[in-house]
Amino acid sequence: MTLSKKFSIFFAIIISVSLAISILLFNLQNYLQTQNPNVELKPFTFTKILSRTATIILFFSLIWFRKKIDKKSISSLGLEQFGKRRNELLIGFLVGIFSLSLVVTTKVIFGVSTWAPKEFTNNDWFFSAYFLLVVFFIGFVEELFFRGYLLQSFVSEWGEKKAAIITSLFFSLTHFIRPITDLFVLLPEMIGLFFVGYALSYAWIYTRSLYLPIGIHAGWVYVVKMQKMFVDPIPHDLHWFFGGDRLVTGAVAWMFMFLFLFGLKRVFENSPIGSKSIHL
């Protein structure tokens, strides 16, 4: 059985188990809410429960799958030589923050967001530090799966370019699990997430390491989580152009993603790590 077939079976099982557990948790949450009407609770949406459940189950099951089925260690997916390559993690994080902050700045300049920094309380500082840990955990888990296992499995069978496209489609679709109430609102998000996945895929292809994509991923998520502390959105109808809260859902963000990919290509084509020819 090929590695891609093994993965397909593995992935189908993970999604099925996550879906079943998420349904139970969602119903339990609703039951507790009806039993405690006087307690103010902010219930999670089903999609958020499913996303968090799948992430946790995926992380632990991937460790098991790698050891029992592939007979290899997790570190072999691109986590070797941390002492020598940890700078890639920091550089990726800073680059991720800078690149997505350009999208936020553009929205402020064109008047679809307003610059309104909040006064930080002790709780805000605490949650800022907490989010910092969270985004690196999210980046680690998702990159371990999408670029560490999925992309590398596909590269060995189909080559880099095709593997990057297929992996990015998986990345986009798994972040896109939600009721389709308005296709014209949700489709730009799917396109933006595909570009995100494609950029992260080439971050691994150029470095053959997960540290750079983990850092970039963490930086992007941190800006998404922290932007509400600095800007307020202004209602507008140009969602296809300027996007929404996720920042990658409009043409402005897509343009910056193209520039990001172009910059990544130029940097690594002129460095010893990226000396081989790779075509985007």
Side-chain angles (χ1 to χ4, degrees):
M1 183 181 294
T2 63
L3 201 56
S4 59
K5 288 183 178 179
K6 289 181 182 178
F7 163 76
S8 299
I9 296 172
F10 168 74
F11 187 71
I13 293 173
I14 293 302
I15 292 298
S16 299
V17 172
S18 300
L19 186 61
I21 294 176
S22 298
I23 292 173
L24 290 175
L25 292 175
F26 183 70
N27 288 329
L28 177 61
Q29 171 189 256
N30 291 341
Y31 172 76
L32 292 175
Q33 190 175 17
T34 57
Q35 295 299 308
N36 300 274
N38 297 324
V39 179
E40 292 188 8
L41 298 173
K42 186 178 180 180
F44 292 104
T45 62
F46 177 74
T47 53
K48 178 167 283 190
I49 292 175
L50 177 59
S51 174
R52 298 296 182 268
T53 302
T55 298
I56 294 171
I57 293 176
L58 185 61
F59 176 68
F60 289 104
S61 59
L62 183 59
I63 294 176
W64 171 87
F65 184 84
R66 188 71 176 174
K67 288 183 177 180
K68 300 295 184 181
I69 305 300
D70 284 352
K71 309 295 184 182
K72 296 179 182 178
S73 66
I74 289 295
S75 62
S76 65
L77 292 173
L79 296 172
E80 304 96 337
Q81 300 179 323
F82 176 73
K84 294 181 179 179
R85 311 197 70 164
R86 59 189 175 189
N87 285 342
E88 293 178 9
L89 192 67
L90 177 59
I91 291 172
F93 182 67
L94 296 177
V95 168
I97 288 179
F98 175 75
S99 58
L100 203 56
S101 293
L102 292 177
V103 178
V104 177
T105 302
T106 302
K107 294 176 71 172
V108 172
I109 292 173
F110 283 91
V112 294
S113 292
T114 180
W115 179 250
K118 309 296 187 297
E119 183 177 349
F120 272 57
T121 64
N122 289 335
N123 284 339
D124 292 328
W125 286 111
F126 170 79
F127 281 112
S128 297
Y130 166 74
F131 285 145
L132 193 61
L133 296 175
V134 168
V135 297
F136 272 101
F137 175 75
I138 292 173
F140 174 73
V141 173
E142 293 198 1
E143 292 311 303
L144 186 65
F145 176 67
F146 286 103
R147 260 59 63 176
Y149 185 78
L150 184 58
L151 176 64
Q152 293 179 43
S153 299
F154 289 162
V155 163
S156 64
E157 294 186 34
W158 298 323
E160 292 169 349
K161 188 170 184 179
K162 187 175 181 180
I165 292 173
I166 295 174
T167 302
S168 302
L169 284 173
F170 265 103
F171 180 80
S172 178
L173 290 171
T174 53
H175 285 72
F176 193 64
I177 302 173
R178 64 187 63 198
I180 302 178
T181 55
D182 190 341
L183 184 61
F184 289 101
V185 173
L186 295 178
L187 188 58
E189 183 175 327
M190 185 176 178
I191 296 172
L193 288 169
F194 173 83
F195 287 141
V196 167
Y198 197 72
L200 292 171
S201 293
Y202 269 89
W204 176 84
I205 287 171
Y206 281 125
T207 63
R208 286 302 194 268
S209 167
L210 289 180
Y211 294 120
L212 183 64
I214 288 173
I216 296 171
H217 195 146
W220 282 341
V221 176
Y222 196 63
V223 173
V224 171
K225 287 185 175 295
M226 292 297 295
Q227 63 165 328
K228 62 182 179 181
M229 300 300 299
F230 298 96
V231 298
D232 288 330
I234 297 175
H236 63 88
D237 296 324
L238 300 175
H239 293 286
W240 272 90
F241 190 76
F242 289 107
D245 293 338
R246 284 203 174 189
L247 298 180
V248 296
T249 58
V252 169
W254 304 342
M255 177 189 69
F256 280 112
M257 283 295 166
F258 277 116
L259 292 175
F260 182 86
L261 278 166
F262 178 76
L264 194 68
K265 182 174 186 289
R266 291 295 298 271
V267 167
F268 282 99
E269 280 187 344
N270 295 323
S271 70
I273 296 176
S275 58
K276 65 175 184 166
S277 177
I278 299 176
H279 301 288
L280 296 180

